[in-house]
Amino acid sequence: MPHTRRPAVGYLLTVAAAGLFAVNGTVSTLALQAGVPATWLTALRCAGAAVGLLVALAVVAPRRLRITWREVPFLAAFGVVGVALTQFLYFVAIGRLPVGIALVFEMTAPVGIALWVRLVRREPVRPRIWLALGLSLSGLVLVAQVWQGGGSLDPLGVAAGLAAAVCLATYYLMGERGTVTRDPVTLTTWTFVAAGLFWAVVAPFTPFQPAVLGERVPVSLGELTLPLWLLVLWIVVLGAIAPFWLSIAALRHLPPTTAGLVATVEPVFASVVAWLWLEQVLTGWQVAGGLVVLTGIALAQTARATAAAQTAAPLPETPAPGPLQGTAPSLRGVEGRGSFLR
């Protein structure tokens, strides 16, 4: 039976996912300020999301969890670079920068992707990509306010945000290959598993007392406090698993490029939440720069998607999905669901 697309539902799901990701930035900042190192916060989020996704798939579609030894190296690399390092670098960035600004730096990934496919893969890309690059760079200059003694932002935070963008672009590019034989849900589950195992090895080298998770931390400008473990649980469930499922569900109702463009409201949401919750106030130049960067990102999304749609050759027929197969969206499908890695 053909699926009925409901664009209004797709918009609602995408905006809801962006809202949860935006709130997650502030909740993660509170956890970092409370004493959870970025390595351990990343480890807890990856492991928690891996367990949640594994349980969900084991109940709903256990056959989709089957993998072969040939897939292990790719899934390991995908999980470490695309998931583990992206999340870690984002946490480092929001620990040193306002949440909205950190997201602006990370979300420049689509611009890098479009440049990669144009310069390295030699794929046709509309000329607007150069305008997108110019806008993004100009916007980042405004965001960083480089005229103020070399910049008003923490250098390590900026470096972490840009490095997160590189890792996120790598995630998207590897996702193009990975979704040829696996559906996005299963692929993401195993990459979270790989990321969780990676941090299980790496995180113990960072000093951390688990007893800290039982401490109560202020979560508002008033006197409201919550146990730190509850914030971490929020980061896992409502900051990773829930928005991921919402993003995937949105693609049943919206084209990937449309969903990706709608998802760019996340830095705006994140800035508002951080302003109301953490009193992170941005300057007028930073707000203007962020809007310029988002315009560049939107142009980059449409530049590649439009060109690819016009020039792509017809795909060969593939067999019906089996235990190791599912729908095989292109990179545009991976880009369009936003990033649950924040």
Side-chain angles (χ1 to χ4, degrees), residues 139-189:
L140 291 179
V141 168
L142 295 177
V143 167
Q145 300 181 135
V146 296
W147 59 87
Q148 294 188 3
S152 62
L153 301 178
D154 179 86
L156 182 57
V158 171
L162 292 174
V166 173
C167 289
L168 182 57
T170 301
Y171 167 82
Y172 288 145
L173 291 166
M174 293 188 74
E176 180 179 28
R177 174 184 170 186
T179 52
V180 170
T181 56
R182 284 197 171 273
D183 63 279
V185 178
T186 308
L187 181 64
T188 300
T189 298

Side-chain angles (χ1 to χ4, degrees), residues 47 107 159 189 283 318 335:
M107 289 191 68
T189 298
T283 68
T318 55
E335 289 173 347

Side-chain angles (χ1 to χ4, degrees), residues 56-247:
L57 269 184
V59 172
V60 176
R63 293 181 62 191
R64 290 164 63 180
L65 288 174
R66 296 178 184 177
I67 60 173
T68 64
W69 284 109
R70 292 180 60 185
E71 295 177 281
V72 172
F74 173 81
L75 291 174
F78 195 2
V80 171
V81 179
V83 177
L85 294 183
T86 301
Q87 293 190 45
F88 169 70
L89 290 165
Y90 172 65
F91 285 148
V92 172
I94 65 173
R96 294 174 172 270
L97 302 175
V99 175
I101 288 180
L103 272 176
V104 165
F105 279 102
E106 184 186 5
M107 289 191 68
T108 57
V111 181
I113 292 170
L115 289 173
W116 175 270
V117 299
R118 172 65 182 87
L119 300 175
V120 179
R121 292 186 177 180
R122 304 293 183 182
E123 292 182 14
V125 176
R126 282 184 175 271
R128 71 182 66 172
I129 183 56
W130 306 114
L131 177 59
L133 177 62
L135 287 173
S136 297
L137 293 177
S138 301
L140 291 179
V141 168
L142 295 177
V143 167
Q145 300 181 135
V146 296
W147 59 87
Q148 294 188 3
S152 62
L153 301 178
D154 179 86
L156 182 57
V158 171
L162 292 174
V166 173
C167 289
L168 182 57
T170 301
Y171 167 82
Y172 288 145
L173 291 166
M174 293 188 74
E176 180 179 28
R177 174 184 170 186
T179 52
V180 170
T181 56
R182 284 197 171 273
D183 63 279
V185 178
T186 308
L187 181 64
T188 300
T189 298
W190 282 116
T191 54
F192 263 112
V193 170
L197 293 175
F198 171 79
W199 285 113
V201 175
V202 174
F205 291 97
T206 302
F208 175 61
Q209 296 296 328
V212 172
L213 296 175
E215 297 182 1
R216 300 187 70 86
V217 297
V219 295
S220 70
L221 300 179
E223 298 181 356
L224 178 63
T225 62
L226 291 174
L228 186 52
W229 65 264
L230 190 57
L231 297 185
V232 173
L233 183 63
W234 173 291
I235 292 168
V236 171
V237 178
L238 296 179
I241 298 175
F244 163 70
W245 282 101
L246 289 172
S247 298

